[in-house]
Amino acid sequence: MTTITIILIILGALCLLTGLIGCIVPVLPGPPISYVGLLLLHFTKEYDYSLTLLLVLLALVVVVTVLDFVIPMLGSKYMGAGKWGSIGGFIGTIVGLFFVSVSWGLSLIIAPFIGAFLGEKASGKSWNDALVAGFGSFLGFVVGILLKTILCLYMIYEFVATFF
């Protein structure tokens, strides 16, 4: 094994683990980082992933990354939020991105909840209905984390399965 191969394997493994951490820490885009790790591994002779696998995983990374912003809005909608609650949840998600460094991701959990809650209150809904919509946004956030984690774990599985 050449030095470059060893470096690529180490960097690939680090990217896969960093991507997994990024599923929980919102500052890091987990699935894209894990995918880069898989690509680094693919450039070695020890790991030869098929083009089909790489393209399917790339498509899944794009879909999961987009869904990560949309799922909190869908979660609030599923829990009965109206148009204003869904819009508020989406705006809360975007606003939360600007405060990530302040609270290490707490803002990405709370901001969609507050956005959906305030959107529902602005539309004249009761406190209870607004809280349920906010909770739906939170559940959407949790589902997004689960989807990202499953995808990153699968990429780690591909690495480990090929290694052994």
Side-chain angles (χ1 to χ4, degrees):
M1 225 185 297
T2 66
T3 305
I4 293 294
T5 300
I6 293 170
I7 290 171
L8 286 174
I9 291 172
I10 291 170
L11 286 175
L14 286 174
C15 283
L16 287 168
L17 292 175
T18 303
L20 185 61
I21 292 167
C23 293
I24 299 166
V25 179
V27 178
L28 301 171
I33 292 174
S34 286
Y35 186 75
V36 168
L38 218 55
L39 284 179
L40 290 172
L41 293 167
H42 178 69
F43 293 131
T44 68
K45 291 180 182 177
E46 280 71 26
Y47 295 90
D48 187 26
Y49 301 111
S50 72
L51 181 60
T52 304
L53 175 68
L54 292 173
L55 290 175
V56 166
L57 286 175
L58 177 61
L60 288 173
V61 165
V62 169
V63 167
V64 166
T65 302
V66 169
L67 282 177
D68 195 37
F69 292 100
V70 176
I71 286 179
M73 180 179 68
L74 295 174
S76 63
K77 188 113 178 127
Y78 178 76
M79 296 295 279
K83 181 173 108 176
W84 286 100
S86 295
I87 292 170
F90 182 74
I91 291 171
T93 301
I94 301 302
V95 169
L97 289 173
F98 294 105
F99 296 101
V100 169
S101 61
V102 175
S103 64
W104 281 96
L106 187 60
S107 60
L108 279 178
I109 296 170
I110 294 175
F113 176 88
I114 291 172
F117 175 81
L118 291 176
E120 287 297 288
K121 285 303 293 171
S123 72
K125 297 258 179 114
S126 70
W127 278 85
N128 189 39
D129 289 343
L131 285 173
V132 169
F135 183 69
S137 182
F138 170 74
L139 285 179
F141 177 77
V142 171
V143 168
I145 288 175
L146 289 174
L147 289 175
K148 292 186 298 188
T149 302
I150 290 168
L151 182 57
C152 287
L153 285 174
Y154 180 75
M155 287 189 257
I156 290 171
Y157 165 78
E158 285 292 332
F159 165 65
V160 172
T162 307
F163 188 74
F164 292 108

PDB file of all heavy atoms in Angstrom, residues 7-44:
ATOM      1  N   ILE A   7      -3.078   7.624   3.261  1.00  0.00           N
ATOM      2  CA  ILE A   7      -3.608   8.951   3.587  1.00  0.00           C
ATOM      3  C   ILE A   7      -5.065   9.064   3.140  1.00  0.00           C
ATOM      4  O   ILE A   7      -5.919   9.577   3.887  1.00  0.00           O
ATOM      5  CB  ILE A   7      -2.738  10.063   2.947  1.00  0.00           C
ATOM      6  CG1 ILE A   7      -1.385  10.120   3.646  1.00  0.00           C
ATOM      7  CG2 ILE A   7      -3.438  11.414   3.009  1.00  0.00           C
ATOM      8  CD1 ILE A   7      -0.371  11.026   2.976  1.00  0.00           C
ATOM      9  N   LEU A   8      -5.364   8.579   1.937  1.00  0.00           N
ATOM     10  CA  LEU A   8      -6.754   8.633   1.452  1.00  0.00           C
ATOM     11  C   LEU A   8      -7.685   7.793   2.318  1.00  0.00           C
ATOM     12  O   LEU A   8      -8.822   8.194   2.591  1.00  0.00           O
ATOM     13  CB  LEU A   8      -6.829   8.186  -0.007  1.00  0.00           C
ATOM     14  CG  LEU A   8      -6.310   9.179  -1.043  1.00  0.00           C
ATOM     15  CD1 LEU A   8      -6.309   8.545  -2.438  1.00  0.00           C
ATOM     16  CD2 LEU A   8      -7.120  10.454  -1.028  1.00  0.00           C
ATOM     17  N   ILE A   9      -7.227   6.639   2.757  1.00  0.00           N
ATOM     18  CA  ILE A   9      -8.064   5.793   3.619  1.00  0.00           C
ATOM     19  C   ILE A   9      -8.308   6.484   4.961  1.00  0.00           C
ATOM     20  O   ILE A   9      -9.442   6.508   5.461  1.00  0.00           O
ATOM     21  CB  ILE A   9      -7.429   4.397   3.807  1.00  0.00           C
ATOM     22  CG1 ILE A   9      -7.494   3.619   2.486  1.00  0.00           C
ATOM     23  CG2 ILE A   9      -8.126   3.625   4.926  1.00  0.00           C
ATOM     24  CD1 ILE A   9      -6.734   2.311   2.490  1.00  0.00           C
ATOM     25  N   ILE A  10      -7.269   7.069   5.529  1.00  0.00           N
ATOM     26  CA  ILE A  10      -7.436   7.774   6.809  1.00  0.00           C
ATOM     27  C   ILE A  10      -8.371   8.970   6.643  1.00  0.00           C
ATOM     28  O   ILE A  10      -9.295   9.162   7.445  1.00  0.00           O
ATOM     29  CB  ILE A  10      -6.062   8.205   7.375  1.00  0.00           C
ATOM     30  CG1 ILE A  10      -5.273   6.972   7.812  1.00  0.00           C
ATOM     31  CG2 ILE A  10      -6.234   9.184   8.533  1.00  0.00           C
ATOM     32  CD1 ILE A  10      -3.818   7.248   8.160  1.00  0.00           C
ATOM     33  N   LEU A  11      -8.149   9.769   5.596  1.00  0.00           N
ATOM     34  CA  LEU A  11      -9.028  10.918   5.356  1.00  0.00           C
ATOM     35  C   LEU A  11     -10.469  10.478   5.081  1.00  0.00           C
ATOM     36  O   LEU A  11     -11.420  11.109   5.556  1.00  0.00           O
ATOM     37  CB  LEU A  11      -8.512  11.760   4.192  1.00  0.00           C
ATOM     38  CG  LEU A  11      -7.278  12.608   4.458  1.00  0.00           C
ATOM     39  CD1 LEU A  11      -6.802  13.286   3.174  1.00  0.00           C
ATOM     40  CD2 LEU A  11      -7.549  13.630   5.540  1.00  0.00           C
ATOM     41  N   GLY A  12     -10.632   9.413   4.289  1.00  0.00           N
ATOM     42  CA  GLY A  12     -11.973   8.898   4.010  1.00  0.00           C
ATOM     43  C   GLY A  12     -12.680   8.454   5.274  1.00  0.00           C
ATOM     44  O   GLY A  12     -13.857   8.774   5.497  1.00  0.00           O
ATOM     45  N   ALA A  13     -11.964   7.712   6.126  1.00  0.00           N
ATOM     46  CA  ALA A  13     -12.559   7.246   7.388  1.00  0.00           C
ATOM     47  C   ALA A  13     -12.905   8.420   8.291  1.00  0.00           C
ATOM     48  O   ALA A  13     -13.976   8.444   8.919  1.00  0.00           O
ATOM     49  CB  ALA A  13     -11.603   6.279   8.093  1.00  0.00           C
ATOM     50  N   LEU A  14     -12.030   9.417   8.340  1.00  0.00           N
ATOM     51  CA  LEU A  14     -12.313  10.608   9.159  1.00  0.00           C
ATOM     52  C   LEU A  14     -13.532  11.364   8.629  1.00  0.00           C
ATOM     53  O   LEU A  14     -14.354  11.852   9.416  1.00  0.00           O
ATOM     54  CB  LEU A  14     -11.096  11.531   9.200  1.00  0.00           C
ATOM     55  CG  LEU A  14      -9.932  11.056  10.069  1.00  0.00           C
ATOM     56  CD1 LEU A  14      -8.730  11.977   9.912  1.00  0.00           C
ATOM     57  CD2 LEU A  14     -10.354  10.963  11.529  1.00  0.00           C
ATOM     58  N   CYS A  15     -13.646  11.459   7.306  1.00  0.00           N
ATOM     59  CA  CYS A  15     -14.821  12.124   6.726  1.00  0.00           C
ATOM     60  C   CYS A  15     -16.102  11.354   7.055  1.00  0.00           C
ATOM     61  O   CYS A  15     -17.130  11.960   7.367  1.00  0.00           O
ATOM     62  CB  CYS A  15     -14.677  12.254   5.215  1.00  0.00           C
ATOM     63  SG  CYS A  15     -13.577  13.572   4.697  1.00  0.00           S
ATOM     64  N   LEU A  16     -16.042  10.029   6.984  1.00  0.00           N
ATOM     65  CA  LEU A  16     -17.224   9.225   7.307  1.00  0.00           C
ATOM     66  C   LEU A  16     -17.651   9.452   8.757  1.00  0.00           C
ATOM     67  O   LEU A  16     -18.843   9.625   9.038  1.00  0.00           O
ATOM     68  CB  LEU A  16     -16.949   7.744   7.051  1.00  0.00           C
ATOM     69  CG  LEU A  16     -16.893   7.332   5.587  1.00  0.00           C
ATOM     70  CD1 LEU A  16     -16.319   5.924   5.450  1.00  0.00           C
ATOM     71  CD2 LEU A  16     -18.274   7.404   4.950  1.00  0.00           C
ATOM     72  N   LEU A  17     -16.687   9.472   9.676  1.00  0.00           N
ATOM     73  CA  LEU A  17     -17.017   9.688  11.091  1.00  0.00           C
ATOM     74  C   LEU A  17     -17.470  11.125  11.352  1.00  0.00           C
ATOM     75  O   LEU A  17     -18.416  11.352  12.110  1.00  0.00           O
ATOM     76  CB  LEU A  17     -15.819   9.339  11.970  1.00  0.00           C
ATOM     77  CG  LEU A  17     -15.464   7.858  12.007  1.00  0.00           C
ATOM     78  CD1 LEU A  17     -14.187   7.630  12.806  1.00  0.00           C
ATOM     79  CD2 LEU A  17     -16.611   7.036  12.570  1.00  0.00           C
ATOM     80  N   THR A  18     -16.815  12.083  10.699  1.00  0.00           N
ATOM     81  CA  THR A  18     -17.224  13.481  10.845  1.00  0.00           C
ATOM     82  C   THR A  18     -18.638  13.683  10.306  1.00  0.00           C
ATOM     83  O   THR A  18     -19.442  14.411  10.891  1.00  0.00           O
ATOM     84  CB  THR A  18     -16.239  14.414  10.114  1.00  0.00           C
ATOM     85  OG1 THR A  18     -14.928  14.193  10.640  1.00  0.00           O
ATOM     86  CG2 THR A  18     -16.625  15.870  10.288  1.00  0.00           C
ATOM     87  N   GLY A  19     -18.939  13.018   9.195  1.00  0.00           N
ATOM     88  CA  GLY A  19     -20.284  13.097   8.633  1.00  0.00           C
ATOM     89  C   GLY A  19     -21.327  12.548   9.590  1.00  0.00           C
ATOM     90  O   GLY A  19     -22.418  13.101   9.726  1.00  0.00           O
ATOM     91  N   LEU A  20     -20.988  11.453  10.268  1.00  0.00           N
ATOM     92  CA  LEU A  20     -21.922  10.879  11.247  1.00  0.00           C
ATOM     93  C   LEU A  20     -22.150  11.851  12.398  1.00  0.00           C
ATOM     94  O   LEU A  20     -23.286  12.054  12.823  1.00  0.00           O
ATOM     95  CB  LEU A  20     -21.392   9.538  11.760  1.00  0.00           C
ATOM     96  CG  LEU A  20     -22.312   8.774  12.692  1.00  0.00           C
ATOM     97  CD1 LEU A  20     -23.624   8.419  12.002  1.00  0.00           C
ATOM     98  CD2 LEU A  20     -21.626   7.522  13.199  1.00  0.00           C
ATOM     99  N   ILE A  21     -21.087  12.479  12.854  1.00  0.00           N
ATOM    100  CA  ILE A  21     -21.225  13.490  13.910  1.00  0.00           C
ATOM    101  C   ILE A  21     -22.065  14.659  13.396  1.00  0.00           C
ATOM    102  O   ILE A  21     -22.885  15.219  14.122  1.00  0.00           O
ATOM    103  CB  ILE A  21     -19.838  13.970  14.388  1.00  0.00           C
ATOM    104  CG1 ILE A  21     -19.135  12.828  15.113  1.00  0.00           C
ATOM    105  CG2 ILE A  21     -19.943  15.200  15.278  1.00  0.00           C
ATOM    106  CD1 ILE A  21     -17.661  13.066  15.368  1.00  0.00           C
ATOM    107  N   GLY A  22     -21.886  15.000  12.116  1.00  0.00           N
ATOM    108  CA  GLY A  22     -22.633  16.104  11.516  1.00  0.00           C
ATOM    109  C   GLY A  22     -24.126  15.859  11.418  1.00  0.00           C
ATOM    110  O   GLY A  22     -24.895  16.798  11.205  1.00  0.00           O
ATOM    111  N   CYS A  23     -24.548  14.625  11.576  1.00  0.00           N
ATOM    112  CA  CYS A  23     -25.994  14.336  11.586  1.00  0.00           C
ATOM    113  C   CYS A  23     -26.653  14.920  12.822  1.00  0.00           C
ATOM    114  O   CYS A  23     -27.837  15.239  12.804  1.00  0.00           O
ATOM    115  CB  CYS A  23     -26.238  12.831  11.537  1.00  0.00           C
ATOM    116  SG  CYS A  23     -25.730  12.081   9.992  1.00  0.00           S
ATOM    117  N   ILE A  24     -25.870  15.064  13.878  1.00  0.00           N
ATOM    118  CA  ILE A  24     -26.400  15.563  15.140  1.00  0.00           C
ATOM    119  C   ILE A  24     -25.995  17.018  15.361  1.00  0.00           C
ATOM    120  O   ILE A  24     -26.770  17.821  15.863  1.00  0.00           O
ATOM    121  CB  ILE A  24     -25.922  14.682  16.314  1.00  0.00           C
ATOM    122  CG1 ILE A  24     -26.432  13.262  16.095  1.00  0.00           C
ATOM    123  CG2 ILE A  24     -26.376  15.224  17.646  1.00  0.00           C
ATOM    124  CD1 ILE A  24     -25.785  12.240  16.965  1.00  0.00           C
ATOM    125  N   VAL A  25     -24.768  17.359  14.973  1.00  0.00           N
ATOM    126  CA  VAL A  25     -24.267  18.725  15.115  1.00  0.00           C
ATOM    127  C   VAL A  25     -24.611  19.486  13.841  1.00  0.00           C
ATOM    128  O   VAL A  25     -24.019  19.239  12.790  1.00  0.00           O
ATOM    129  CB  VAL A  25     -22.738  18.726  15.349  1.00  0.00           C
ATOM    130  CG1 VAL A  25     -22.220  20.146  15.459  1.00  0.00           C
ATOM    131  CG2 VAL A  25     -22.378  17.921  16.579  1.00  0.00           C
ATOM    132  N   PRO A  26     -25.567  20.389  13.914  1.00  0.00           N
ATOM    133  CA  PRO A  26     -26.070  21.034  12.700  1.00  0.00           C
ATOM    134  C   PRO A  26     -25.064  21.896  11.947  1.00  0.00           C
ATOM    135  O   PRO A  26     -25.291  22.248  10.812  1.00  0.00           O
ATOM    136  CB  PRO A  26     -27.224  21.904  13.204  1.00  0.00           C
ATOM    137  CG  PRO A  26     -27.583  21.355  14.528  1.00  0.00           C
ATOM    138  CD  PRO A  26     -26.337  20.763  15.085  1.00  0.00           C
ATOM    139  N   VAL A  27     -23.944  22.243  12.559  1.00  0.00           N
ATOM    140  CA  VAL A  27     -22.952  23.068  11.888  1.00  0.00           C
ATOM    141  C   VAL A  27     -22.314  22.300  10.734  1.00  0.00           C
ATOM    142  O   VAL A  27     -21.920  22.875   9.738  1.00  0.00           O
ATOM    143  CB  VAL A  27     -21.869  23.520  12.893  1.00  0.00           C
ATOM    144  CG1 VAL A  27     -20.795  24.328  12.213  1.00  0.00           C
ATOM    145  CG2 VAL A  27     -22.490  24.308  14.021  1.00  0.00           C
ATOM    146  N   LEU A  28     -22.246  20.989  10.864  1.00  0.00           N
ATOM    147  CA  LEU A  28     -21.604  20.143   9.852  1.00  0.00           C
ATOM    148  C   LEU A  28     -22.650  19.493   8.956  1.00  0.00           C
ATOM    149  O   LEU A  28     -23.578  18.869   9.456  1.00  0.00           O
ATOM    150  CB  LEU A  28     -20.782  19.038  10.533  1.00  0.00           C
ATOM    151  CG  LEU A  28     -19.681  19.490  11.475  1.00  0.00           C
ATOM    152  CD1 LEU A  28     -19.110  18.294  12.220  1.00  0.00           C
ATOM    153  CD2 LEU A  28     -18.587  20.199  10.707  1.00  0.00           C
ATOM    154  N   PRO A  29     -22.481  19.593   7.649  1.00  0.00           N
ATOM    155  CA  PRO A  29     -23.406  18.889   6.737  1.00  0.00           C
ATOM    156  C   PRO A  29     -23.031  17.405   6.663  1.00  0.00           C
ATOM    157  O   PRO A  29     -22.193  17.001   5.848  1.00  0.00           O
ATOM    158  CB  PRO A  29     -23.198  19.615   5.406  1.00  0.00           C
ATOM    159  CG  PRO A  29     -21.789  20.108   5.475  1.00  0.00           C
ATOM    160  CD  PRO A  29     -21.517  20.409   6.923  1.00  0.00           C
ATOM    161  N   GLY A  30     -23.613  16.597   7.520  1.00  0.00           N
ATOM    162  CA  GLY A  30     -23.235  15.205   7.689  1.00  0.00           C
ATOM    163  C   GLY A  30     -23.157  14.355   6.432  1.00  0.00           C
ATOM    164  O   GLY A  30     -22.082  13.865   6.071  1.00  0.00           O
ATOM    165  N   PRO A  31     -24.274  14.136   5.744  1.00  0.00           N
ATOM    166  CA  PRO A  31     -24.226  13.258   4.573  1.00  0.00           C
ATOM    167  C   PRO A  31     -23.257  13.716   3.475  1.00  0.00           C
ATOM    168  O   PRO A  31     -22.530  12.878   2.932  1.00  0.00           O
ATOM    169  CB  PRO A  31     -25.674  13.235   4.084  1.00  0.00           C
ATOM    170  CG  PRO A  31     -26.479  13.458   5.325  1.00  0.00           C
ATOM    171  CD  PRO A  31     -25.659  14.438   6.121  1.00  0.00           C
ATOM    172  N   PRO A  32     -23.176  15.011   3.152  1.00  0.00           N
ATOM    173  CA  PRO A  32     -22.186  15.394   2.133  1.00  0.00           C
ATOM    174  C   PRO A  32     -20.739  15.092   2.555  1.00  0.00           C
ATOM    175  O   PRO A  32     -19.929  14.667   1.743  1.00  0.00           O
ATOM    176  CB  PRO A  32     -22.407  16.901   1.958  1.00  0.00           C
ATOM    177  CG  PRO A  32     -23.834  17.111   2.321  1.00  0.00           C
ATOM    178  CD  PRO A  32     -24.069  16.148   3.448  1.00  0.00           C
ATOM    179  N   ILE A  33     -20.419  15.294   3.822  1.00  0.00           N
ATOM    180  CA  ILE A  33     -19.068  15.006   4.300  1.00  0.00           C
ATOM    181  C   ILE A  33     -18.797  13.505   4.219  1.00  0.00           C
ATOM    182  O   ILE A  33     -17.716  13.083   3.786  1.00  0.00           O
ATOM    183  CB  ILE A  33     -18.860  15.535   5.734  1.00  0.00           C
ATOM    184  CG1 ILE A  33     -18.877  17.060   5.742  1.00  0.00           C
ATOM    185  CG2 ILE A  33     -17.541  15.014   6.308  1.00  0.00           C
ATOM    186  CD1 ILE A  33     -18.835  17.674   7.116  1.00  0.00           C
ATOM    187  N   SER A  34     -19.761  12.689   4.619  1.00  0.00           N
ATOM    188  CA  SER A  34     -19.591  11.237   4.530  1.00  0.00           C
ATOM    189  C   SER A  34     -19.417  10.803   3.079  1.00  0.00           C
ATOM    190  O   SER A  34     -18.616   9.923   2.775  1.00  0.00           O
ATOM    191  CB  SER A  34     -20.792  10.508   5.142  1.00  0.00           C
ATOM    192  OG  SER A  34     -20.754  10.605   6.541  1.00  0.00           O
ATOM    193  N   TYR A  35     -20.165  11.425   2.182  1.00  0.00           N
ATOM    194  CA  TYR A  35     -20.059  11.081   0.767  1.00  0.00           C
ATOM    195  C   TYR A  35     -18.667  11.410   0.234  1.00  0.00           C
ATOM    196  O   TYR A  35     -18.081  10.633  -0.519  1.00  0.00           O
ATOM    197  CB  TYR A  35     -21.133  11.805  -0.048  1.00  0.00           C
ATOM    198  CG  TYR A  35     -21.142  11.374  -1.494  1.00  0.00           C
ATOM    199  CD1 TYR A  35     -21.677  10.142  -1.860  1.00  0.00           C
ATOM    200  CD2 TYR A  35     -20.593  12.173  -2.483  1.00  0.00           C
ATOM    201  CE1 TYR A  35     -21.670   9.728  -3.181  1.00  0.00           C
ATOM    202  CE2 TYR A  35     -20.580  11.771  -3.799  1.00  0.00           C
ATOM    203  CZ  TYR A  35     -21.120  10.543  -4.142  1.00  0.00           C
ATOM    204  OH  TYR A  35     -21.108  10.131  -5.449  1.00  0.00           O
ATOM    205  N   VAL A  36     -18.119  12.546   0.632  1.00  0.00           N
ATOM    206  CA  VAL A  36     -16.752  12.902   0.229  1.00  0.00           C
ATOM    207  C   VAL A  36     -15.778  11.836   0.742  1.00  0.00           C
ATOM    208  O   VAL A  36     -14.843  11.444   0.031  1.00  0.00           O
ATOM    209  CB  VAL A  36     -16.373  14.316   0.735  1.00  0.00           C
ATOM    210  CG1 VAL A  36     -14.885  14.580   0.598  1.00  0.00           C
ATOM    211  CG2 VAL A  36     -17.168  15.372  -0.013  1.00  0.00           C
ATOM    212  N   GLY A  37     -16.019  11.352   1.958  1.00  0.00           N
ATOM    213  CA  GLY A  37     -15.177  10.280   2.501  1.00  0.00           C
ATOM    214  C   GLY A  37     -15.231   9.033   1.638  1.00  0.00           C
ATOM    215  O   GLY A  37     -14.201   8.401   1.363  1.00  0.00           O
ATOM    216  N   LEU A  38     -16.423   8.667   1.200  1.00  0.00           N
ATOM    217  CA  LEU A  38     -16.573   7.498   0.330  1.00  0.00           C
ATOM    218  C   LEU A  38     -15.873   7.723  -1.006  1.00  0.00           C
ATOM    219  O   LEU A  38     -15.253   6.803  -1.553  1.00  0.00           O
ATOM    220  CB  LEU A  38     -18.061   7.202   0.122  1.00  0.00           C
ATOM    221  CG  LEU A  38     -18.482   5.750   0.064  1.00  0.00           C
ATOM    222  CD1 LEU A  38     -18.035   4.976   1.262  1.00  0.00           C
ATOM    223  CD2 LEU A  38     -19.971   5.640  -0.115  1.00  0.00           C
ATOM    224  N   LEU A  39     -15.954   8.928  -1.542  1.00  0.00           N
ATOM    225  CA  LEU A  39     -15.248   9.243  -2.791  1.00  0.00           C
ATOM    226  C   LEU A  39     -13.733   9.141  -2.616  1.00  0.00           C
ATOM    227  O   LEU A  39     -13.033   8.614  -3.488  1.00  0.00           O
ATOM    228  CB  LEU A  39     -15.616  10.641  -3.284  1.00  0.00           C
ATOM    229  CG  LEU A  39     -16.975  10.807  -3.943  1.00  0.00           C
ATOM    230  CD1 LEU A  39     -17.183  12.266  -4.351  1.00  0.00           C
ATOM    231  CD2 LEU A  39     -17.129   9.898  -5.146  1.00  0.00           C
ATOM    232  N   LEU A  40     -13.220   9.649  -1.489  1.00  0.00           N
ATOM    233  CA  LEU A  40     -11.786   9.533  -1.230  1.00  0.00           C
ATOM    234  C   LEU A  40     -11.366   8.069  -1.186  1.00  0.00           C
ATOM    235  O   LEU A  40     -10.318   7.697  -1.727  1.00  0.00           O
ATOM    236  CB  LEU A  40     -11.420  10.231   0.080  1.00  0.00           C
ATOM    237  CG  LEU A  40     -11.496  11.754   0.084  1.00  0.00           C
ATOM    238  CD1 LEU A  40     -11.286  12.297   1.494  1.00  0.00           C
ATOM    239  CD2 LEU A  40     -10.483  12.351  -0.879  1.00  0.00           C
ATOM    240  N   LEU A  41     -12.177   7.251  -0.566  1.00  0.00           N
ATOM    241  CA  LEU A  41     -11.877   5.815  -0.509  1.00  0.00           C
ATOM    242  C   LEU A  41     -11.944   5.181  -1.894  1.00  0.00           C
ATOM    243  O   LEU A  41     -11.148   4.297  -2.219  1.00  0.00           O
ATOM    244  CB  LEU A  41     -12.851   5.112   0.440  1.00  0.00           C
ATOM    245  CG  LEU A  41     -12.708   5.480   1.911  1.00  0.00           C
ATOM    246  CD1 LEU A  41     -13.900   4.989   2.699  1.00  0.00           C
ATOM    247  CD2 LEU A  41     -11.413   4.930   2.467  1.00  0.00           C
ATOM    248  N   HIS A  42     -12.866   5.639  -2.697  1.00  0.00           N
ATOM    249  CA  HIS A  42     -13.035   5.101  -4.048  1.00  0.00           C
ATOM    250  C   HIS A  42     -11.780   5.339  -4.899  1.00  0.00           C
ATOM    251  O   HIS A  42     -11.480   4.558  -5.799  1.00  0.00           O
ATOM    252  CB  HIS A  42     -14.264   5.722  -4.711  1.00  0.00           C
ATOM    253  CG  HIS A  42     -14.493   5.260  -6.108  1.00  0.00           C
ATOM    254  ND1 HIS A  42     -14.889   3.959  -6.407  1.00  0.00           N
ATOM    255  CD2 HIS A  42     -14.371   5.890  -7.299  1.00  0.00           C
ATOM    256  CE1 HIS A  42     -15.010   3.833  -7.714  1.00  0.00           C
ATOM    257  NE2 HIS A  42     -14.693   5.003  -8.286  1.00  0.00           N
ATOM    258  N   PHE A  43     -11.046   6.405  -4.621  1.00  0.00           N
ATOM    259  CA  PHE A  43      -9.846   6.723  -5.395  1.00  0.00           C
ATOM    260  C   PHE A  43      -8.646   5.857  -5.025  1.00  0.00           C
ATOM    261  O   PHE A  43      -7.575   6.028  -5.587  1.00  0.00           O
ATOM    262  CB  PHE A  43      -9.500   8.203  -5.269  1.00  0.00           C
ATOM    263  CG  PHE A  43     -10.511   9.109  -5.900  1.00  0.00           C
ATOM    264  CD1 PHE A  43     -11.025  10.192  -5.211  1.00  0.00           C
ATOM    265  CD2 PHE A  43     -10.984   8.865  -7.185  1.00  0.00           C
ATOM    266  CE1 PHE A  43     -11.965  11.026  -5.799  1.00  0.00           C
ATOM    267  CE2 PHE A  43     -11.926   9.688  -7.776  1.00  0.00           C
ATOM    268  CZ  PHE A  43     -12.417  10.774  -7.077  1.00  0.00           C
ATOM    269  N   THR A  44      -8.830   4.945  -4.084  1.00  0.00           N
ATOM    270  CA  THR A  44      -7.761   3.997  -3.752  1.00  0.00           C
ATOM    271  C   THR A  44      -8.019   2.686  -4.492  1.00  0.00           C
ATOM    272  O   THR A  44      -9.121   2.439  -4.979  1.00  0.00           O
ATOM    273  CB  THR A  44      -7.718   3.721  -2.237  1.00  0.00           C
ATOM    274  OG1 THR A  44      -8.890   2.996  -1.858  1.00  0.00           O
ATOM    275  CG2 THR A  44      -7.622   5.004  -1.437  1.00  0.00           C
TER     276      THR A  44
END
